[in-house]
């Protein structure tokens, strides 16, 4: 009898894994037409935007960092804070209706503006993966750091998303008079992540490529965290895009408690965008004059989330960025111009 029960249990487990695997495969082959994004969510704060996100019926949600405010070396406490966020009733609806992926920034990493010096980075990484339900067979579990890659869609309508870890390997950054001093030789990604990224881009047949990380890539003028504090690393990333020439590539960021869209032109490649969406539960209200020579949108100082809408009916996929707020109000929109 014991042997028979054991056999039944194993059969049930195998059936569950098979069904779950089919569900995951179906999810990955779904053609994405609406992607929702956001960052900066205090787990204990009112979370008014989830119902507004759901009104848009997105296929996918991408966390862009500060997914909770942990700020602790106590991993039990960090786990509790993730559980508070995950148990939110409206967020639970999100989990049931769409895929959710993401990457951290600093507060969910465990330390404000932290880098590779954080002593609990390995333990914190695992908690982030658990919060995001990263599948145990995902190669990301076997690597150092939190970077991940996902592909959705079918031939001719594929979207590849590469989530960049700008914390785990990031070099030292000093501040003088509340302003960061650029680390001229410092790095953000670390060599293993650079090699991984180059491989992901070089060997991709996707029609749209999305890079996503916690901190802004293009803006240069504000005194806060940004890729421009590590100019060598920033130029390396832009040069990589120009060299590899992945189709229709843009970047997503969070962190800033404002939303904006920035644009540059990479020599030999064309237009390249940085869509910043922040914050979900709190924002930098009153920040309406911050300079950004790359900005091509409104500077949004209210609570907001972002949408990426993809029209596959054209010869070349048409992408539109939207910034939306309370009551699902459309704050600003920008149609991506893939030209020069």
């Amino acid at each position: 009898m014991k042997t028979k029960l054991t056999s039944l249990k194993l059969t049930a487990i195998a059936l569950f894994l098979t069904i779950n695997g089919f569900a995951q495969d179906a999810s990955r082959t779904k053609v994405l037409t609406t992607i929702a994004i956001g960052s900066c969510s205090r787990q204990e704060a009112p979370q008014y935007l989830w119902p507004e996100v759901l009104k848009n019926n997105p296929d996918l949600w991408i966390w862009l960092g500060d997914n909770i405010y942990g700020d602790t070396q106590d991993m039990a406490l960090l786990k509790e804070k993730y559980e508070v966020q995950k148990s939110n009733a409206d967020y639970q609806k999100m989990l049931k209706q769409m895929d959710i992926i993401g990457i951290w920034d600093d507060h969910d990493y465990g330390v404000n503006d932290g880098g590779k010096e954080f002593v609990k980075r390995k333990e914190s990484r695992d908690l982030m993966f658990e919060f995001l339900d990263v599948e145990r067979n995902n190669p990301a579990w076997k690597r150092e750091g939190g970077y991940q890659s996902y592909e959705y869609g079918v031939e001719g309508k594929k979207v590849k998303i590469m989530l960049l870890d700008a914390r785990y390997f990031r070099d030292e950054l000093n501040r003088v008079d509340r302003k960061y001093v650029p680390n001229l030789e410092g790095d953000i990604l670390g060599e293993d992540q650079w090699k991984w990224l180059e491989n992901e881009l070089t060997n991709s047949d996707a029609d749209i490529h999305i890079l996503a990380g916690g901190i802004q890539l293009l803006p240069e003028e504000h005194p806060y965290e940004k890729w421009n504090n590590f100019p060598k690393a920033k130029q390396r990333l832009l040069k990589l895009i120009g060299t590899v020439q992945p189709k229709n590539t843009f970047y997503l960021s969070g962190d800033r408690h404002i939303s904006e869209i920035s644009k540059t032109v990479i020599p030999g490649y064309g237009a390249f965008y940085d869509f910043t969406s922040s914050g979900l539960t709190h924002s930098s209200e009153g920040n309406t004059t911050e300079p950004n020579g790359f900005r091509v949108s409104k500077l949004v100082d209210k609570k907001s989330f972002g949408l990426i809408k993809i029209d596959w009916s054209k010869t070349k996929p048409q992408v539109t960025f939207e910034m939306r707020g309370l009551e699902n109000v459309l704050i600003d929109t920008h149609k991506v111009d893939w030209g020069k």
Side-chain angles (χ1 to χ4, degrees):
M1 178 64 70
K2 186 175 180 180
T3 302
K4 186 176 181 180
L5 287 173
T6 300
S7 178
L8 288 171
K9 287 180 181 179
L10 290 173
T11 301
I13 291 171
L15 180 61
F16 170 80
L17 292 173
T18 300
I19 293 173
N20 193 44
F22 284 146
Q24 291 166 3
D25 289 343
S27 162
R28 295 289 191 262
T29 57
K30 182 176 184 178
V31 174
L32 301 181
T33 58
T34 303
I35 302 170
I37 62 174
S39 66
C40 301
S41 179
R42 290 192 182 278
Q43 66 279 356
E44 76 281 1
Q47 302 193 16
Y48 298 120
L49 286 178
W50 296 130
E52 312 311 319
V53 173
L54 286 164
K55 289 176 183 177
N56 296 278
N57 298 310
D59 307 301
L60 176 70
W61 170 266
I62 304 176
W63 281 109
L64 298 174
D66 295 337
N67 311 324
I68 61 166
Y69 280 68
D71 297 294
T72 180
Q73 292 188 22
D74 183 342
M75 293 297 102
L77 178 58
L78 190 64
K79 184 176 182 178
E80 286 178 14
K81 292 182 176 183
Y82 271 125
E83 289 171 350
V84 170
Q85 174 63 77
K86 200 167 188 176
S87 65
N88 177 276
D90 289 319
Y91 184 69
Q92 282 289 313
K93 293 177 183 178
M94 298 269 292
L95 284 166
K96 293 176 182 177
Q97 294 187 32
M98 69 197 74
D99 272 14
I100 292 180
I101 61 176
I103 192 64
W104 56 19
D105 190 36
D106 54 346
H107 294 288
D108 40 356
Y109 182 54
V111 58
N112 184 43
D113 295 358
K116 66 183 183 182
E117 75 284 349
F118 184 48
V119 296
K120 293 288 186 176
R121 59 182 185 161
K122 293 182 180 180
E123 296 89 341
S124 178
R125 194 288 304 266
D126 289 354
L127 290 178
M128 175 182 67
F129 279 2
E130 289 173 3
F131 169 71
L132 294 169
D133 297 313
V134 176
E135 299 159 12
R136 284 286 174 175
N137 62 354
N138 190 314
W141 279 100
K142 298 180 180 180
R143 298 190 293 252
E144 291 285 310
Y147 54 97
Q148 311 147 60
S149 176
Y150 298 92
E151 190 173 279
Y152 292 87
V154 296
E155 185 176 356
K157 297 181 180 180
K158 286 184 182 179
V159 177
K160 188 167 189 175
I161 303 161
M162 288 143 286
L163 304 170
L164 305 183
D165 185 346
R167 294 293 163 190
Y168 200 96
F169 307 99
R170 200 210 71 185
D171 286 333
E172 183 180 10
L173 193 59
N174 295 317
R175 183 185 279 178
V176 176
D177 295 329
R178 302 184 67 182
K179 184 175 181 179
Y180 281 109
V181 179
N183 185 335
L184 299 181
E185 295 299 320
D187 192 19
I188 292 178
L189 301 185
E191 284 305 313
D192 286 345
Q193 188 173 184
W194 279 114
K195 291 174 183 177
W196 166 85
L197 177 59
E198 182 175 0
N199 182 67
E200 290 290 324
L201 291 171
T202 302
N203 297 303
S204 174
D205 64 350
D207 303 279
I208 293 176
H209 295 84
I210 302 175
L211 305 177
I215 58 175
Q216 290 184 306
L217 175 61
L218 295 184
E220 297 179 350
E221 297 161 76
H222 68 71
Y224 311 109
E225 286 201 287
K226 55 187 180 291
W227 273 77
N228 207 58
N229 292 332
F230 297 87
K232 191 173 181 179
K234 176 180 177 178
Q235 290 307 311
R236 182 175 180 178
L237 180 55
L238 296 178
K239 183 178 179 181
L240 178 63
I241 300 298
T243 300
V244 176
Q245 298 277 314
K247 292 181 182 177
N248 307 322
T249 305
F250 57 88
Y251 182 84
L252 305 175
S253 58
D255 176 56
R256 293 295 325 289
H257 312 289
I258 60 170
S259 292
E260 62 181 352
I261 300 165
S262 304
K263 177 185 176 182
T264 191
V265 174
I266 299 176
Y269 182 76
F272 184 80
Y273 291 83
D274 179 352
F275 183 3
T276 302
S277 184
S278 175
L280 290 166
T281 61
H282 56 297
S283 60
S284 294
E285 294 197 16
N287 181 4
T288 58
T289 60
E290 179 178 300
N292 176 6
F294 296 97
R295 187 184 299 128
V296 292
S297 70
K298 291 180 180 178
L299 171 57
V300 178
D301 65 335
K302 309 299 183 187
K303 299 180 187 70
S304 67
F305 63 95
L307 292 180
I308 302 160
K309 294 189 173 180
I310 307 172
D311 180 358
W312 295 102
S313 67
K314 314 296 182 182
T315 303
K316 194 171 188 177
Q318 178 63 65
V319 173
T320 302
F321 297 145
E322 294 184 357
M323 294 181 282
R324 291 182 175 267
L326 295 172
E327 305 302 323
N328 198 33
V329 169
L330 178 61
I331 303 170
D332 199 7
T333 182
H334 186 90
K335 186 173 288 187
V336 170
D337 177 4
W338 298 117
K340 303 298 181 183

